């Protein structure tokens, strides 16, 4: 995120969008900023000298917010320390002020030198070091100690993402869509980890390769309450939404629809912010975020079943982790597999290792789904050595497939 005062947006009627960096001039500016940081780090300059370098670039560009936005992000990749050989600045200042209180105000350079020499004599620290140390802990006097490299395109992508995060900090509601069960599983895991309040419902998302507002296809939409819809913890909740954004953008196909509150001359006004993977800027990513490489299968049982089913050439298309099924309360169940043929979908959940809490949560969701006759075909393959006794009384025998070891029976499927 960026400081709110550095947010660059364009608002027209009821819509709002960040002013993304999209042209070569923006990339050139990013390159120049990085070069100044690298040069300052190479020379181990003080932070005040680095800021002078940035101020020189500011004088060449009309967009103060853009330059300062790049600076804010690059500064997070830096480490500054006090100059080596410095004594404790706080103790040094206290000793100087105590000596000055005894002698009176130092109105001349001679009186000032006498106070410094007196402190140097008491502390056995050279007078030159006393003067050097006195304000060594002020931010502008800290010395450039480390800079984590980044290239100009990464910086522009990070800046564009930060603009979105800052804008969404003041949202009242956010709806998003991602494609595929693997994408949903990753994002929903982060939603829960960040403590965000969510619900799922059937909706629509923009078709791939289209820019039309009406080009929609059915899908699942996740709705999040925005920070401004809450009475407390606005800042912390807004930060959580910002942290969720990289996982949404890393899912491939995605779309976001948010409602933003902004202060205007005439008072507070509501705007709509819409963006998708099809109209987002080419550079849009967080260099600190990397989606963990998810294994293709959660278990050897799933992997073995999928390979055997494909070899059986049944004519059914098998997909691992399809889009979520919505259960009561707007929560999600992502089955392990879906079989598709002639427009029909049949879902399969494979249950192996379990805990009591896992069984209770999973069974509640599956019973909710299985109870919708005519809507969802859901079957459950259960390792009878582990969980059969707990599931058998709850699930219909026609929808319960028992297996032993690591082999789900294909014949029943």
């Amino acid at each position: 995120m960026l400081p709110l005062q550095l947010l660059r947006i364009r608002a027209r009627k009821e819509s709002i969008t960040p002013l993304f960096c999209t042209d070569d001039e923006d990339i050139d500016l990013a390159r120049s900023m990085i070069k100044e940081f690298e040069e300052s780090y190479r020379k181990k300059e003080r932070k005040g000298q680095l800021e002078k370098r940035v101020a020189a670039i500011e004088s060449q560009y009309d967009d103060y917010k853009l330059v300062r936005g790049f600076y804010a992000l690059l500064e997070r990749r830096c480490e500054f320390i006090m100059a080596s050989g410095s004594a404790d600045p706080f103790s040094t200042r206290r000793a100087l002020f105590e000596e000055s209180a005894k002698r009176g105000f130092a109105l001349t350079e001679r009186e000032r030198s006498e106070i410094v020499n007196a402190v140097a004599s008491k502390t056995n620290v050279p007078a030159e070091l006393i003067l050097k140390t006195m304000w060594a802990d002020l931010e502008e006097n800290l010395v450039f100690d480390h800079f984590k490299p980044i290239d100009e395109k990464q910086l522009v992508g990070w800046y564009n993402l930060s603009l979105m995060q800052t804008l969404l900090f003041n949202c009242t509601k956010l709806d998003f869509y991602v494609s595929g069960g693997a994408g949903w599983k990753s994002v929903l895991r982060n939603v829960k980890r960040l403590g965000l309040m969510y619900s799922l419902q059937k909706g629509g998302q923009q078709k791939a390769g289209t820019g039309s507002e009406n080009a929609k296809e059915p899908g699942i939409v996740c709705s999040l309450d925005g920070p401004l819809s809450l009475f407390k913890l606005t800042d912390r909740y807004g930060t959580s939404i910002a942290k969720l954004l990289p996982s949404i953008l890393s899912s491939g196909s995605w779309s976001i629809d948010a409602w933003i509150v902004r202060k205007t001359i005439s008072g507070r006004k509501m705007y709509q912010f819409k963006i998708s993977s099809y109209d987002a800027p080419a550079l849009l990513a967080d260099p600190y975020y990397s989606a963990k490489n998810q294994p293709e299968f959660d278990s050897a049982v799933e992997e073995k079943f999928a390979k055997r089913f494909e070899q059986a050439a049944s004519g059914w298309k098998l997909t691992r982790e399809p889009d979520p099924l919505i259960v009561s309360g707007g929560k999600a169940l992502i089955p392990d597999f879906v079989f598709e043929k002639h427009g029909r979908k049949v879902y399969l959940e494979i249950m192996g290792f379990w805990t009591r809490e896992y069984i209770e949560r999973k069974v509640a969701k599956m019973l909710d789904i299985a109870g919708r006759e005519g809507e969802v075909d859901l079957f459950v393959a259960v390792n009878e050595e582990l969980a059969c006794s707990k599931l058998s009384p709850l699930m219909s025998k026609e929808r319960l497939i028992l297996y032993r070891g690591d082999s789900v029976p294909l014949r029943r499927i």
Side-chain angles (χ1 to χ4, degrees):
M1 288 180 58
L2 294 170
L4 188 59
Q5 62 268 27
L6 297 182
L7 178 62
R8 300 161 66 240
I9 55 97
R10 178 186 294 111
R12 292 179 178 175
K13 296 182 179 179
E14 306 300 322
S15 65
I16 190 170
T17 184
L19 288 176
F20 292 116
C21 292
T22 57
D23 55 35
D24 292 340
E25 185 178 356
D26 297 326
I27 295 177
D28 290 340
L29 172 59
R31 186 183 298 111
S32 298
M33 292 285 293
I34 294 171
K35 183 178 179 181
E36 294 300 332
F37 270 75
E38 290 175 338
E39 184 67 11
S40 183
Y41 168 57
R42 187 182 67 81
K43 294 182 176 181
K44 300 293 183 180
E45 293 180 341
R46 297 179 184 274
K47 192 172 183 180
Q49 293 171 298
L50 171 63
E51 291 176 347
K52 289 180 180 178
R53 290 176 176 272
V54 175
I57 294 179
E58 272 180 29
S59 64
Q60 303 172 24
Y61 286 82
D62 297 330
D63 199 333
Y64 164 84
K65 290 184 177 181
L66 178 56
V67 176
R68 280 291 151 181
F70 282 152
Y71 177 82
L73 296 179
L74 288 171
E75 187 182 21
R76 295 172 195 172
R77 306 180 71 86
C78 304
E79 290 182 14
F80 297 91
I81 61 173
M82 286 195 302
S84 59
S86 298
D88 177 31
F90 179 79
S91 299
T92 301
R93 285 196 296 272
R94 183 173 63 182
L96 288 169
F97 294 153
E98 287 176 350
E99 186 67 25
S100 178
K102 295 177 183 177
R103 296 169 175 260
F105 290 115
L107 301 180
T108 65
E109 187 63 30
R110 179 182 175 182
E111 292 172 333
R112 180 173 180 270
S113 296
E114 289 176 353
I115 293 174
V116 171
N117 290 330
V119 171
S121 178
K122 291 179 181 179
T123 59
N124 293 321
V125 176
E128 297 79 8
L129 187 57
I130 291 288
L131 292 173
K132 182 180 179 181
T133 297
M134 184 178 182
W135 303 113
D137 57 343
L138 292 188
E139 192 168 355
E140 64 265 26
N141 291 328
L142 297 179
V143 177
F144 212 149
D145 184 61
H146 181 71
F147 178 62
K148 188 176 181 180
I150 186 174
D151 65 40
E152 58 272 17
K153 290 187 177 180
Q154 286 179 315
L155 178 57
V156 169
W158 188 18
Y159 176 81
N160 286 338
L161 172 67
S162 298
L163 284 179
M164 283 183 61
Q165 291 175 315
T166 307
L167 181 62
L168 293 174
F169 191 83
N170 285 332
C171 72
T172 61
K173 183 183 178 184
L174 185 150
D175 291 347
F176 70 86
Y177 159 83
V178 298
S179 62
W184 276 111
K185 181 175 286 188
S186 174
V187 174
L188 291 179
R189 186 181 292 118
N190 284 324
V191 167
K192 295 176 181 179
R193 178 179 60 83
L194 293 168
L196 298 170
M197 294 178 290
Y198 80 98
S199 65
L200 299 179
Q201 64 268 341
K202 292 182 179 179
Q205 70 274 2
Q206 187 174 305
K207 289 183 179 179
T210 69
S212 171
E213 289 290 324
N214 298 319
K216 299 285 184 178
E217 54 188 14
I220 303 296
V221 172
C222 181
S223 293
L224 300 177
D225 290 324
L228 292 191
S229 67
L230 307 175
F231 293 104
K232 297 180 180 180
L233 302 179
T234 299
D235 288 353
R236 195 164 81 183
Y237 198 86
T239 302
S240 294
I241 285 186
K243 290 180 179 178
L244 177 68
L245 197 56
S247 63
I248 295 177
L249 304 188
S250 68
S251 62
S253 177
W254 55 268
S255 65
I256 290 175
D257 193 354
W259 287 261
I260 312 294
V261 174
R262 298 265 310 166
K263 290 182 179 180
T264 66
I265 297 177
S266 57
R268 291 161 68 91
K269 184 177 179 179
M270 185 79 74
Y271 294 92
Q272 188 175 19
F273 169 50
K274 301 183 71 172
I275 190 171
S276 74
S277 52
Y278 309 115
D279 53 25
L283 300 176
L284 183 64
D286 185 345
Y288 284 112
Y289 179 85
S290 59
K292 293 182 179 179
N293 294 326
Q294 298 292 334
E296 187 177 356
F297 295 95
D298 289 337
S299 68
V301 177
E302 292 181 15
E303 183 175 8
K304 183 177 180 179
F305 168 75
K307 290 179 179 178
R308 290 174 61 221
F309 187 86
E310 294 291 353
Q311 291 170 357
S314 64
W316 288 80
K317 176 186 176 184
L318 179 67
T319 303
R320 181 178 180 267
E321 293 187 338
D323 283 352
L325 298 175
I326 303 174
V327 301
S328 298
K331 303 307 178 185
L333 170 65
I334 304 177
D336 293 317
F337 296 100
V338 62
F339 309 94
E340 297 180 77
K341 186 176 182 180
H342 303 317
R344 184 185 179 188
K345 292 185 178 181
V346 180
Y347 297 89
L348 174 66
E349 176 74 13
I350 298 178
M351 295 185 66
F353 177 79
W354 57 274
T355 63
R356 179 182 179 85
E357 293 77 13
Y358 175 81
I359 285 286
E360 290 175 350
R361 290 197 308 268
K362 206 76 168 182
V363 168
K365 289 183 176 182
M366 289 189 295
L367 289 175
D368 185 280
I369 294 293
R372 304 178 196 171
E373 294 184 5
E375 284 192 36
V376 178
D377 280 337
L378 174 64
F379 292 82
V380 184
V382 184
N383 189 323
E384 60 180 327
E385 299 169 329
L386 298 177
C388 174
S389 61
K390 293 187 177 291
L391 276 181
S392 293
L394 300 174
M395 299 293 293
S396 166
K397 289 184 179 180
E398 291 76 15
R399 295 185 174 274
L400 195 61
I401 301 169
L402 303 180
Y403 72 93
R404 286 178 173 272
D406 64 352
S407 183
V408 177
L410 285 182
R411 192 177 186 87
R412 283 292 308 277
I413 300 296

